[in-house]
Amino acid sequence: MQNEIANYSKSEAKRELARLSLLLKRANQAYHRDDDPIISDSEFDKLKALNQEIEKHFPELKRRDSQSQTVGAKPARGFSKIKHSIRMLSLANAFDENDLIEFDIRVKKHLGLPEVHQISYVAEPKIDGLSLSLRYEKGRLIYAVTRGDGEIGEDVTENARTIKSIPEMIESDYDVLEVRGEVYISHEDFLSLNKKQEEKGEKPFANSRNAAAGSLRQLDNEITKHRPLKFFAYAWGEASKALGQTQFAAIAKLNSLGFETNPLTKKTNSIMGLIDHYKLIEQKRNSIGYDIDGVVYKVDDLSLQLRLGFTTSTPRWAIAHKFPAELAWTFLKKIDLQIGRTGALSPVARLEPVTVGGVVVSNATLHNEDYIAGLDSNGGIIRDGKDIREGDWVQVYRAGDVIPKISDVDVSKRIQVSQTFNFPINCPSCNSSTVREENDAVRRCSNFFDCPAQVIEKLKHFVSRRAFDIDGLGEKQIEQFFHYKWISEPSEIFELEENYLQDLLEKDGWGVRSVENLVNSINEKRLISFEKLLFSLGIRHLGEGGSRLLARHYLTWSNFSKAMENISNLESDSWDDLISIDGVGDMLANSLMNTFNSERQKAQIYRLVSKLNIEDQEHRIESDGKFSGKKLVFTGTLEKMSRGEAKMHAERLGAQVAGSVSAKTDLVIFGPGAGSKLKKAEVLGIRAIDEDEWIKLIGTE
Ligand SMILES: [Zn+2]
């Protein structure tokens, strides 16, 4: 991953950060605010780690809304808000023993201690619930507040008062004591709660964490009262006097004040001790009776905690060692190769069906030949270099809704005659040679035009739901018609009626009615939007998003095709114009160039287009926007918002964002590094403003 990131261009990194920001924001909201997660926790952690890694390589690109620093989501509406007197932070994560060893080294480095020095740590299970801060003043519960975004949480006092393990009064001479911990629900209570939900015809909770969070954040505390919530104390916020000298003593003190604390909390003097305790807790995970998702380690000495302090988002003296994603071992029966519409040979593992995290899995992706050989895309070693073979025992891994992957191979169970899996030198479909281009992990069939597998996949893509979506012409019919040699390229779909109507009527399973329906639905699709057409062409690297960008930019097929005729000249305005489209990268631009450079491919596209009636892209103009009908051009680097965000604001206010300056341009927004476009604007006498002025204009600050 690191190597890959180091190779990112600035614009790639920026785009990736924008994508991750959006994803993480959505996932955060779904998880914390709506209690309805959209991705698995381990997937979330991975995305967050990726985000941080990119920020580390490109600190200058760090977004103002960077999700690396946020913990949780902004509070939901409906509860009043309370600002934490001391920030309520989440913890940094460790995913393996190495991360843990590095954590220990960082701690000692920060404290200026020699590496051989042994630090005392406290380890405790990480409860998968909802964090809560309870404020007691002179022994009385004043308020209870959720973590929220770490700064401000929701006031859930009345609901917290209904939880039995949260005392209303504590015997204490503390003027102020904020007790922090986790609200959770036991497995047993979770099952009966979900049963009741179903009986009432309500949606069951996805997991016990969501059940706990959803119950605590009920606007009606009568409902909360009947939910079996529990509370473990493990930390504190403001305290008018110290709870103890050490973490361990402080937790014991909380226990003596009447709070439940976790009995699996343990003090140890070495990293090995932590690892042992982690293994013990992981073993107990399924019998412990409530959800935990890892083990938390904290420096025991509170004076050291104070010296270590905090980074922007996490304490330096603690780390959460997360359990790995859901795993299961099974038998790999066979490796199949699927040939995609771009000729890519994709290996798929056919598995003895096995349940992984509640879902039956019988296939797993194997990505490409390097992956099978035990190498990542940079030639680095994965799975300790173990290759994957037919007949192997493999560990399947599933995170969220993504396609299952293989995380490990049990080489000890491998039979002696097993052989390494070799990718074929010839295409399994057409026997042409397969090629692997430099810097491409994928091996492809070289017979782009005539490989039956590729042609069929291209046709299937063309009629698929998100493309031409022709009723009655699905994958099965495509295969049939290809087999009859009626259709070998998209344009021939529109000649079917003319050439093969009689033949079709004579085929089994086809009657007058169904043939008529098919002909009608094909003819209906002769009218197609420019955007859909672009996507349907199946040009490599041109997905729906890219098709939309191109359609919005060129507006008509005729503009687009004229431009494509010229892009092979890299000095041309057409090429400049293409690559200046925000969101169009080098890969897509080159792919378009290759497509329109190929006479045969171009001829296919034109044959298709001649049969169609292509709708121009609508200019959607917000008639009451500040920039209604105006053409804007961004140039240079924007420093306070991403290009994407700037474009979003511009379009929201009715503007059309263009990639190049012309006499029709109304306004140019420039940042550092602006060159020829800004000069051109000056020559043409077009108004140009810098980013600060732009921000004032759109009123985001
Ligand atoms: Zn082939």
Side-chain angles (χ1 to χ4, degrees), residues 427 429-430 445 451:
C427 170
S429 172
C430 69
C445 162
C451 172

Side-chain angles (χ1 to χ4, degrees), residues 9 37 144 148 200 251 433 441 457 487 504 539 580 639 679:
S9 72
K200 280 189 286 183
I251 298 299
S433 58
E457 288 307 311
I487 294 177
L504 183 57
I539 292 169
S580 71
E639 291 168 315
K679 282 211 188 84

Side-chain angles (χ1 to χ4, degrees), residues 23-71:
L23 256 174
L24 287 167
K25 232 183 277 178
R26 273 196 208 139
N28 242 331
Q29 283 185 354
Y31 185 87
H32 289 284
R33 202 193 59 195
D34 309 330
D35 301 321
D36 192 9
I38 49 174
I39 56 174
S40 74
D41 292 357
S42 60
E43 191 72 5
F44 180 83
D45 290 338
K46 257 198 285 173
L47 291 175
K48 198 161 168 175
L50 180 65
N51 195 53
Q52 277 168 342
E53 200 59 41
I54 299 175
E55 283 175 350
K56 215 168 92 189
H57 277 89
F58 300 92
E60 72 281 13
L61 295 182
K62 188 162 177 176
R63 295 170 61 92
R64 277 191 306 173
D65 63 348
S66 168
Q67 297 292 305
S68 300
Q69 267 131 53
T70 57
V71 289

Side-chain angles (χ1 to χ4, degrees), residues 204-222:
F205 293 101
N207 53 49
S208 49
R209 197 212 84 91
N210 294 110
S215 301
L216 185 64
R217 291 159 71 256
Q218 277 290 335
L219 286 168
D220 179 359
N221 64 6
E222 270 306 302

